[in-house]
Coordinates of all heavy atoms in Angstrom, one line a residue:
H14 N 0.9 -1.2 0.0 CA 0.0 0.0 0.0 C 0.8 1.3 0.0 O 1.8 1.3 0.8 CB -0.9 -0.1 1.2 CG -1.8 1.2 1.4 ND1 -2.8 1.5 0.5 CD2 -1.7 2.2 2.2 CE1 -3.3 2.6 0.9 NE2 -2.7 3.1 1.9
E15 N 0.6 2.1 -0.9 CA 1.2 3.5 -1.0 C 0.2 4.5 -0.9 O -0.9 4.4 -1.6 CB 2.1 3.5 -2.2 CG 3.2 2.6 -2.3 CD 4.0 2.5 -3.5 OE1 3.5 3.0 -4.6 OE2 5.1 1.9 -3.6
L16 N 0.4 5.5 -0.2 CA -0.7 6.6 0.0 C -0.8 7.4 -1.2 O -1.9 7.9 -1.6 CB -0.3 7.5 1.1 CG -0.1 6.8 2.5 CD1 0.3 7.8 3.6 CD2 -1.4 6.1 2.9
V17 N 0.2 7.7 -2.0 CA 0.2 8.4 -3.3 C 1.4 7.8 -4.1 O 2.3 7.2 -3.6 CB 0.5 9.9 -3.1 CG1 -0.6 10.6 -2.3 CG2 1.9 10.2 -2.5
P18 N 1.2 7.9 -5.5 CA 2.3 7.5 -6.3 C 3.5 8.3 -6.0 O 3.4 9.5 -5.6 CB 1.8 7.7 -7.7 CG 0.3 7.8 -7.6 CD 0.0 8.4 -6.2
R19 N 4.7 7.7 -6.4 CA 5.9 8.5 -6.2 C 5.8 9.7 -7.1 O 5.7 9.5 -8.3 CB 7.1 7.6 -6.6 CG 8.5 8.3 -6.4 CD 9.7 7.4 -6.7 NE 9.6 6.3 -5.7 CZ 9.7 5.0 -6.1 NH1 9.9 4.7 -7.4 NH2 9.7 4.1 -5.2
P20 N 6.1 10.9 -6.6 CA 6.0 12.1 -7.5 C 7.2 12.2 -8.4 O 8.3 11.7 -8.0 CB 5.9 13.2 -6.5 CG 6.6 12.8 -5.2 CD 6.3 11.2 -5.2
E21 N 7.0 13.0 -9.4 CA 8.2 13.5 -10.2 C 9.1 14.4 -9.3 O 8.6 14.9 -8.3 CB 7.8 14.3 -11.4 CG 6.9 13.4 -12.4 CD 7.8 12.3 -13.0 OE1 9.0 12.5 -13.3 OE2 7.2 11.3 -13.4
Q22 N 10.3 14.5 -9.6 CA 11.2 15.3 -8.7 C 11.2 16.8 -9.2 O 12.3 17.2 -9.7 CB 12.6 14.6 -8.7 CG 12.6 13.4 -7.9 CD 13.9 12.7 -7.8 OE1 15.0 13.4 -7.9 NE2 13.9 11.4 -7.5
T23 N 10.1 17.4 -9.0 CA 10.0 18.8 -9.3 C 9.4 19.5 -8.1 O 8.6 18.8 -7.4 CB 9.1 19.1 -10.5 OG1 7.7 18.7 -10.2 CG2 9.5 18.4 -11.8
P24 N 9.7 20.7 -7.8 CA 9.1 21.4 -6.6 C 7.6 21.2 -6.6 O 7.0 20.9 -5.5 CB 9.5 22.8 -6.8 CG 10.9 22.7 -7.5 CD 10.6 21.6 -8.6
D25 N 6.9 21.5 -7.7 CA 5.4 21.4 -7.7 C 4.9 20.0 -7.4 O 3.9 19.9 -6.6 CB 4.8 21.9 -9.0 CG 5.0 23.4 -9.2 OD1 5.2 24.1 -8.2 OD2 4.8 24.0 -10.3
A26 N 5.5 19.0 -8.0 CA 5.0 17.6 -7.8 C 5.3 17.2 -6.3 O 4.5 16.5 -5.7 CB 5.7 16.7 -8.8
L27 N 6.5 17.5 -5.8 CA 6.8 17.2 -4.4 C 5.9 17.9 -3.5 O 5.4 17.3 -2.5 CB 8.3 17.5 -4.2 CG 9.4 16.8 -4.9 CD1 10.8 17.4 -4.7 CD2 9.3 15.3 -4.5
R28 N 5.6 19.2 -3.7 CA 4.7 19.9 -2.8 C 3.3 19.3 -2.9 O 2.7 19.1 -1.8 CB 4.6 21.3 -3.3 CG 3.8 22.2 -2.3 CD 3.6 23.6 -2.8 NE 3.0 24.5 -1.8 CZ 1.7 24.3 -1.3 NH1 1.0 23.4 -1.7 NH2 1.3 25.2 -0.4
A29 N 2.8 18.9 -4.0 CA 1.5 18.3 -4.1 C 1.5 17.0 -3.3 O 0.5 16.7 -2.6 CB 1.1 18.1 -5.6
A30 N 2.5 16.1 -3.5 CA 2.6 14.9 -2.7 C 2.6 15.1 -1.2 O 2.0 14.4 -0.4 CB 3.7 14.0 -3.2
L31 N 3.5 16.1 -0.8 CA 3.6 16.3 0.6 C 2.3 16.9 1.2 O 1.9 16.5 2.3 CB 4.7 17.4 0.9 CG 5.1 17.7 2.3 CD1 5.7 16.4 2.9 CD2 6.0 18.8 2.4
A32 N 1.5 17.6 0.4 CA 0.2 18.1 0.9 C -0.7 17.0 1.2 O -1.7 17.1 2.1 CB -0.4 19.0 -0.2
V33 N -0.5 15.8 0.6 CA -1.4 14.6 0.9 C -0.8 13.8 2.1 O -1.5 13.4 3.0 CB -1.5 13.7 -0.3 CG1 -2.2 12.5 0.0 CG2 -2.2 14.5 -1.4
V34 N 0.6 13.5 2.1 CA 1.1 12.6 3.0 C 1.6 13.2 4.3 O 1.6 12.6 5.4 CB 2.2 11.8 2.4 CG1 1.8 10.9 1.2 CG2 3.4 12.7 2.0
A35 N 1.9 14.5 4.3 CA 2.4 15.1 5.5 C 2.1 16.7 5.4 O 3.0 17.5 5.4 CB 3.8 14.8 5.8
P36 N 0.8 17.1 5.4 CA 0.5 18.5 5.1 C 1.1 19.5 6.2 O 1.5 20.6 5.9 CB -1.0 18.6 5.1 CG -1.4 17.3 5.8 CD -0.4 16.3 5.5
G37 N 1.3 19.0 7.3 CA 2.0 19.8 8.5 C 3.3 20.2 8.2 O 3.9 21.1 8.8
R38 N 4.0 19.6 7.2 CA 5.4 19.9 6.9 C 5.5 20.9 5.7 O 6.6 21.2 5.4 CB 6.2 18.6 6.6 CG 6.3 17.6 7.8 CD 7.3 16.5 7.5 NE 8.7 17.1 7.4 CZ 9.6 16.4 6.9 NH1 9.4 15.1 6.6 NH2 10.9 16.8 6.8
L39 N 4.4 21.3 5.2 CA 4.5 22.2 4.1 C 5.2 23.6 4.3 O 6.0 24.0 3.6 CB 3.1 22.6 3.6 CG 2.5 21.5 2.7 CD1 0.9 21.7 2.4 CD2 3.2 21.3 1.4
P40 N 5.1 24.2 5.6 CA 5.8 25.4 5.9 C 7.3 25.1 6.0 O 8.1 25.9 5.5 CB 5.3 25.7 7.2 CG 3.9 25.2 7.3 CD 3.9 23.9 6.6
E41 N 7.7 24.0 6.5 CA 9.1 23.5 6.5 C 9.7 23.4 5.1 O 10.8 23.8 4.8 CB 9.3 22.2 7.3 CG 10.6 21.6 7.4 CD 10.7 20.2 7.9 OE1 9.6 19.6 8.3 OE2 11.8 19.7 7.9
M42 N 8.9 22.8 4.3 CA 9.3 22.5 2.9 C 9.5 23.9 2.2 O 10.5 24.2 1.5 CB 8.3 21.8 2.0 CG 8.7 21.6 0.6 SD 7.4 20.9 -0.4 CE 8.2 19.4 -1.0

């Protein structure tokens, strides 16, 4: 089981994935 597919390694794709799996870390990112 994976919560989201592995994102592409771009800032936008990483941010979108983080918003799903660990939204509390968005300010740190």
